[in-house]
Structures are given as structure tokens and as C-alpha cells.
Amino acid sequence: MDLTPSLLRALTDGTFEAWVVAQGQPPFRRKQVERWVARAATDFEQMSDLPASLRATLKRDFALRSSRVIRHLRDADGTEKLLLEWPDGARIEGVLLREGHRRTICLSTQVGCAMGCVFCASGLEGLERNLRSEEILEQALRLVECLDPQERLSHVVVMGMGEPLANLDALLPALDWMASPRGFGISARRITVSTVGLPGAIRRLARHSRPYRLAVSLHAADDTLRARIVPVSRSTGIASLLEAVDDYFRATGRRLTFEYVLLGSINDRPLDARRLARLLVGRTALVNLIPYNPVPGLPYRTPAPTAVRRFREILEEAGIEVRGRKRKGARIDAACGQLRRRSRDGREILSTGGGVE
Ligand code: SAH
């Protein structure tokens, strides 16, 4: 295994600055290097405005990438998906979405997931490990590498594999670099963290210096049903989750998004919609309705379009703003965790991949 220190780590933990000074280099060299990193340079040799000697020292002291692209899939709708493998064999997925001028990357924060949401592919085999800051950043850069030269990254959503709020220590330095002018320079308003709803961690995020957007995966408006679909919510309860969410709103002024995955005949009844409307009315919130993307081997179904329409109408009649998430990348298993699972089932075939399909 390559033990060369990661440059991305040195950038996210702030030690790169000291390295530049120790080399007797002027501080602007740091900026030059970071500009190349943000533009997804994959080799120090590309950093053409640095002296050759500095490029050589950088190469000696740091690695720029440590993942291998195992699969690179491209859907006709412009969605691209990468399956990355780390030196320890852990695999994760990241997605690039194109819509109008928007270029959004969707990031994973953990290998597997411990939350156990019953319908989700990512958590079926539990949590393998957390990703480190430099791995979260490298995943983002791998996706930025997929952009054409005239395209610019505009949004980041942390909605891939894993529970971001169970790995905040690693996530925040990576997002902070992406948000800062040293990195991608993307406003915190354009960075969304999606959570199953861990109240303690929501409050910690509310105190963070950068007000990222928060999306809460609610999926049910009463405790009994939610406990069935989202087992970790058993110990919390919806009331205390909403208290934390209200604190987040007060601290950041950011409108909240509630995600609601519609599972046919389970949480898609008019009664469920009315309960949800009662729960959210009066809050500055947006509901994102997501028809279930079936996972092979799981018994859940996508609801009938009429059920989705009815659900949406009930919320709208109550004055709640609703957005229906379009399904993107359906042909390339873009729903989190699906490609990784499939790749394990047929590892030997898939690991020969690497080209865009
Ligand atoms: N752990 C975070 C991020 C997970 S993925 C969270 O729970 O929010 C982001 C969203 O995708 C979540 O709302 C999750 O419930 C949803 N999701 C997971 N699997 C899905 C599937 N098969 N179909 C539709 N949505 C799914």
C-alpha cells in the first residue's frame, strides 16, 4: 500500500500551509497549488506555473489521488456515476448530475451505513467504515474530473452512501474546503447535507461556522410508522427531531427540506399525507417527494402515479411547498448503494471496467 501522505489531507487539516513555509516557498505557492487541486489536476506535472523543483518536491512528499475508478457509468440524461475503490478495498459511489446550468455532485460519507433504513441498499450489510476528509474530497474531485472544460460545479449534495451526521468530524473539513475560496468557492447555500435525523448532530451542525443547507429524511409523520421504516428513529421520536430542526432554522435562517420516500401501500396513503401536512404546517419547509427506486431483493414497491399525485395535492392544499424529485440516472443504478452492491455480486466481471459506458 502506498504510504505517501495525502495532499488532500494536508489541505483539509491545514498543515499544507506549514509545509509550504518549511520549503522556504512564498505563501502564494499554496494558492497556486490549491487552484490546481480545485480544477481537479491529477498529476503535479500539470501544475505548470510552479517551478519544476517544487513540482518534484510535491511529488516526493505527497500523493494526489489514492482511489481507483472501478466503474464509470454515463446515462443518456447526462448523469455520471463513479464506483471508487480505496487501497483497503472499500468501495463507494459518487454521482454527477446535470440539469440546465446546474452541475451537482452527490457524495458518500461512509462505506455502508449503520442506520438500517429498511428500504435502502446502502445499509443492507451495515457499516464498513467512515470515509476520511481526504477521501470525501477526493471523491468530489474525481467527479469534477468528469466535467467538460466549459462546465463549472455549482452544487454539492451529501446524499450518497452513509449517514453524514454520523461522520461530521471528517465531513466538515472536506465541505469547508469545498466552500472556501481556496477550494471550489461554492456558497454554503449550494451545499446540502441530508440526514436520517440525529438531533444532537443537527444541533452541532447548527453551531458550525458555515450554514450548510439541511435535508431531513422523514419518510413518515407518526412515530410508529417511522420506527418501522427508519429504525434509528425509535430512540428519538419525531417531536424531538423537529425541535432540533427548528433550532437549525433559527440558527441558520435556512429553509429546511424534508425528504419523503414514497413506498407503495406503506407510507403513501392520503392519511399519511394529512398527518405530514399537520406536522409541517407553519414551518418554513419544502417537502421533497421521492418515489421509491426499487432495490433488488427488497419487498418495497414504487407507488402508483395516482397515489403520488394525491399525496402531493393534499400537502399543497395545506399550503406546503412540494417538489417531486425527478428520477435521474435510473439506467445506471444512481440510487445510492445500488451499484456497489451489484459490483460485489459480480465483482470479477465488473472490476475489469473503468471506461465510460
Ligand atoms: N443518510 C442520509 C443520506 C442518505 S441517501 C439520509 O438518510 O438522508 C439520501 C436520500 O435517499 C435519503 O432520503 C434516503 O432515504 C433516500 N433513499 C435511499 N434509498 C432509496 C431508494 N431506493 N429509493 C428512493 N430513495 C432512497
Side-chain angles (χ1 to χ4, degrees):
M1 207 186 284
D2 186 3
L3 293 176
T4 315
S6 155
L7 177 66
L8 304 183
R9 181 182 181 90
L11 293 180
T12 50
D13 69 11
T15 54
F16 186 60
E17 214 147 349
W19 183 90
V20 172
V21 173
Q23 298 305 309
Q25 294 285 340
F28 70 86
R29 294 289 184 214
R30 177 200 45 83
K31 276 195 193 150
Q32 284 178 309
V33 172
E34 292 197 277
R35 203 176 308 134
W36 283 107
V37 170
R39 280 191 254 155
T42 51
D43 194 311
F44 293 109
E45 285 310 313
Q46 289 167 282
M47 303 184 177
S48 52
D49 53 2
L50 300 182
S53 57
L54 180 58
R55 292 201 298 262
T57 332
L58 281 163
K59 203 176 173 132
R60 183 198 65 198
D61 286 2
F62 295 110
L64 204 43
R65 293 285 185 273
S66 65
S67 64
R68 219 157 53 91
V69 179
I70 297 291
R71 295 278 272 171
H72 182 171
L73 305 177
R74 190 192 250 272
D75 197 311
D77 66 11
T79 305
E80 294 186 52
K81 181 160 194 169
L82 297 178
L83 180 67
L84 300 179
E85 188 178 87
W86 304 104
D88 67 355
R91 291 179 169 198
I92 54 142
E93 301 172 14
V95 182
L96 165 66
L97 296 137
R98 294 180 164 93
E99 190 152 33
H101 292 296
R102 279 189 182 216
R103 296 293 175 272
T104 305
I105 56 174
C106 175
L107 303 178
S108 296
T109 51
Q110 298 183 311
V111 186
C113 185
M115 299 298 118
C117 301
V118 292
F119 56 85
C120 177
S122 297
L124 285 174
E125 278 107 36
L127 176 68
E128 201 172 311
R129 69 170 173 85
N130 280 332
L131 288 181
R132 295 187 285 271
S133 300
E134 61 270 29
E135 291 172 328
I136 296 170
L137 177 55
E138 177 164 336
Q139 180 191 176
L141 294 171
R142 285 287 192 205
L143 292 162
V144 171
E145 283 173 37
C146 299
L147 292 172
D148 291 332
Q150 77 282 5
E151 291 182 303
R152 259 186 68 82
L153 179 66
S154 60
H155 293 77
V156 177
V157 296
V158 188
M159 294 187 181
M161 290 164 47
E163 169 49 42
L165 295 204
N167 191 18
L168 270 184
D169 286 341
L171 176 64
L172 289 177
L175 288 186
D176 289 347
W177 188 86
M178 293 180 217
S180 107
R182 302 165 70 149
F184 299 144
I186 292 180
S187 149
R189 262 182 299 121
R190 293 174 171 214
I191 298 181
T192 303
V193 179
S194 176
T195 178
V196 72
L198 307 175
I202 289 175
R203 292 203 167 87
R204 182 176 158 203
L205 195 59
R207 290 192 302 271
H208 186 64
S209 53
R210 285 195 163 85
Y212 298 117
R213 273 190 200 281
L214 188 67
V216 176
S217 295
L218 199 56
H219 311 327
D222 69 278
D223 280 329
T224 315
L225 184 57
R226 190 160 196 266
R228 253 179 69 202
I229 302 176
V230 182
V232 287
S233 71
R234 270 175 214 151
S235 55
T236 321
I238 292 171
S240 72
L241 169 58
L242 289 183
E243 273 172 34
V245 158
D246 290 341
D247 284 352
Y248 195 86
F249 179 70
R250 273 191 293 273
T252 63
R254 294 270 187 259
R255 179 178 68 168
L256 264 297
T257 299
F258 290 97
E259 295 162 280
Y260 196 104
V261 172
L262 288 161
L263 305 165
S265 308
I266 293 186
N267 65 354
D268 65 340
R269 301 159 302 173
L271 167 74
D272 299 309
R274 284 193 294 273
R275 281 188 180 142
L276 183 61
R278 264 201 303 279
L279 198 64
L280 299 184
V281 81
R283 285 193 163 83
T284 310
L286 171 85
V287 173
N288 198 350
L289 289 180
I290 314 165
Y292 183 57
N293 192 349
V295 175
L298 294 184
Y300 306 100
R301 291 184 295 112
T302 309
T306 49
V308 177
R309 215 173 311 128
R310 186 76 196 110
F311 200 96
R312 183 181 187 127
E313 281 165 8
I314 292 171
L315 292 175
E316 285 174 342
E317 280 158 18
I320 290 166
E321 202 179 332
V322 183
R323 204 173 359 168
R325 188 189 284 176
K326 287 196 205 100
R327 238 178 111 181
K328 297 209 106 206
R331 285 166 292 251
I332 57 169
D333 285 342
C336 44
Q338 296 206 23
L339 180 61
R340 168 173 173 261
R341 264 192 97 217
R342 209 159 55 88
S343 84
R344 201 177 6 223
D345 297 342
R347 194 165 185 137
E348 57 296 328
I349 306 164
L350 289 162
S351 57
T352 58
V356 180
E357 302 194 340

